[in-house]
Amino acid sequence: MRAMISVSDKAGVNDLARGLAGLGAEIYATGGTQRALEAAGIPVHPVTGLTGFPEILGGRVKTLHPAIYGGILARRDVPADLEELERHGLQPIDLVAVNLYPFEQTVAQLAASAVPDEGGNEAGDLFFGGGSLLPAALEQIDIGGPSMLRAAAKNLASVLPVCDPADYARVLAALRQPGGPDLAFRQRLAAKAFRHVAVYDAFIAAYLGSRDLGWPDELPLGLRKAQDLRYGENPQQRAAFYSFARPGQSMSGLVGARQLQGKPLSYTNILDADAAWAAAGSFGPAAVAVVKHTNPCGLAQAGDPLLAYELALAGDPLAAFGGIVAVNVPVDGRLARRLAARFYEVILAPGFDAYALEILAAKPDLRLLALPFESGAGEPAGKSLAWRSVAGGVLVQEADRAGEGEVHQARVVTTRQPTDEEWAALSFAWRAVRHVKSNAIVLAKGEPGRVSLVGMGAGQPSRVAAVEIAVERAGPRSQGAVLASDAFFPKADGVEAAIRAGVQAIVQPGGSTGDPEVIAAADAAGVAMVFTGTRHFSH
């Protein structure tokens, strides 16, 4: 048996090589790997012993040679292939152990160290920061490694492609079995090798294309499994949680959260926690979101996080049972005591102080997640694109980023102007409504620095039905509340239902042929209405 080993990550390589040597393998290795094995006292030959040609171009060309690829790709069951090897004095290679240059880690380090240059380019601009970052990244693009893995995987019946140190022990065990590794084992290794190379290439493509403004004709996805899940939305559905490989960026959002206590997260926990994180992160401190089935049943902003929680809970205390709570500031002991008084599945926040952790530890099944919020940014980090699977494909769109400016720059279309208090509530409601599934209606009430959701109608095929549900949920709190609608009112009936409930100001996109009728209904009731010109559907 002849083995080629060329690894950037040296973890476990001595054990692999020692095991192969014990099986009588003749081992060849590239420069750094060769030196590591020699230092461990393992018999190894330089790759030049196969190629008869030195490494050139500063190590850029080491294995790109017929002696390597002929040895890997020769089919053992095709006599002509073996005769051709013999005619050229080449030898078959039976195992290829390769892992790739650390392109991803290099890009992350470059991003962390980047500083603004004299031209004003921002820190983290991997292409133009100081003019030296792109060449450094390009040097970490592996050529020979992916090529050898692909060649070995293509010839899987005769060659073992090994790309993961976690597989070294299994590979040695399979080689020691009578008859050696079976075809199913070989095929699993080959599939893993192709997936590994595909993700590596997808990451490089994402990095090089990160400044593209258009939509590419081909879009490879680099995904890595973060964890297996017990099941999906229902027990009969298998599920797992994957993270995107993001050039120069650490894992963000739920995939980058630290779980501090509690049971493993479920599929629906993750969906709801993501919705709660996005909702609370759309507001400045302190904001609290209580989410059930991806919709906020409670949402509030106040100067004190405990007050924000009480206001959010008051939005719908019944629906909050078993929900997900997101707090966009660290949780202290006072808030933890109130949170512990009710049943929640998950609580997520930027952090928890020692007293809060002590209190919440009394509920060992409660999941606590620590992850950063970019409060008030309009959208938490990591949401530049939104993905949705459909049968046979994937829809991709830019994330919907709402800013306070949409309301502050809105056009008042009624005779009456909103009051300062109503403007504060309208701004809050307009941010909140984009986190509710369409057709979406929210009612909010409060004053500058202290506003909360008091009613919500979500996912209705009829907009007037969404209004009716929202005002029913709000009950007496509809009096003096403001309303936000994620899309225009086609007729006056929805606005009239809100007016009958006591709503005093409305924010909506406008743009319907029914706008004159809608505005007239508001004017007749002395209700203020503003048009933003921006729609916020969320299906």
Side-chain angles (χ1 to χ4, degrees), residues 201-467:
D201 287 342
F203 192 94
I204 295 169
Y207 167 73
L208 295 175
S210 61
R211 297 176 66 87
D212 291 348
L213 299 179
W215 297 99
D217 292 334
E218 296 178 317
L219 187 62
L221 284 183
L223 300 175
R224 292 194 179 91
K225 187 167 67 175
Q227 63 187 95
D228 288 308
L229 302 174
R230 289 177 60 201
Y231 50 78
E233 287 181 287
N234 301 290
Q236 69 271 20
Q237 296 170 268
R238 297 172 60 201
F241 189 21
Y242 285 82
S243 68
F244 284 107
R246 295 168 55 81
Q249 300 179 42
S250 60
M251 291 188 298
S252 61
L254 267 293
V255 77
R258 292 183 299 116
Q259 184 166 351
L260 305 181
Q261 73 167 50
K263 298 184 294 186
L265 290 165
S266 73
Y267 183 94
T268 52
N269 287 157
I270 292 168
L271 283 178
D272 285 344
D274 182 67
W277 176 73
S282 289
F283 297 91
V288 175
V290 183
V291 164
K292 199 77 170 287
H293 302 299
T294 72
N295 280 302
C297 57
L299 182 61
Q301 181 181 17
D304 175 36
L306 180 57
L307 176 58
Y309 168 71
E310 299 292 0
L311 292 170
L313 178 60
D316 194 335
L318 183 62
F321 179 85
I324 310 290
V325 178
V327 186
N328 70 2
V329 296
V331 173
D332 61 15
R334 292 187 313 136
L335 179 52
R337 278 195 298 271
R338 291 291 294 130
L339 290 167
R342 297 181 64 89
F343 170 62
Y344 295 116
E345 292 281 359
V346 182
I347 298 171
L348 55 150
F352 299 79
D353 72 19
Y355 190 26
L357 290 174
E358 181 181 342
I359 292 168
L360 296 172
K363 302 171 77 76
D365 287 342
L366 172 64
R367 304 161 179 93
L368 300 184
L369 301 181
L371 72 166
F373 286 72
E374 289 193 355
S375 300
E379 184 71 42
K383 284 280 197 175
S384 58
L385 293 178
W387 304 74
R388 178 74 62 84
S389 65
V390 295
V394 174
L395 292 169
V396 186
Q397 65 175 345
E398 294 176 337
D400 183 14
R401 296 181 179 275
E404 246 180 74
E406 286 189 18
V407 170
H408 289 172
Q409 298 167 17
R411 178 168 58 98
V412 179
V413 295
T414 50
T415 302
R416 184 171 81 78
Q417 296 274 333
T419 65
D420 289 346
E421 191 173 277
E422 287 168 348
W423 273 121
L426 288 167
S427 177
F428 176 91
W430 188 240
R431 284 195 175 193
V433 76
R434 58 190 273 272
H435 297 288
V436 177
K437 295 296 182 281
S438 300
N439 285 320
I441 297 291
V442 301
L443 270 62
K445 206 167 184 178
E447 58 195 36
R450 176 179 169 175
V451 192
S452 64
L453 190 74
V454 296
M456 179 269 289
Q460 299 305 306
S462 161
R463 189 158 299 278
V464 67
V467 174

Side-chain angles (χ1 to χ4, degrees), residues 6 9 48 70 72 82 88 106 130 142 222 233 314 325 329 336 389 429 479 485 512 515 521:
S6 179
D9 178 1
T48 55
I72 296 172
L82 299 179
H88 292 289
T106 298
D142 202 332
E233 287 181 287
V325 178
V329 296
S389 65
Q479 289 291 330
S485 173
S512 167
D515 281 351

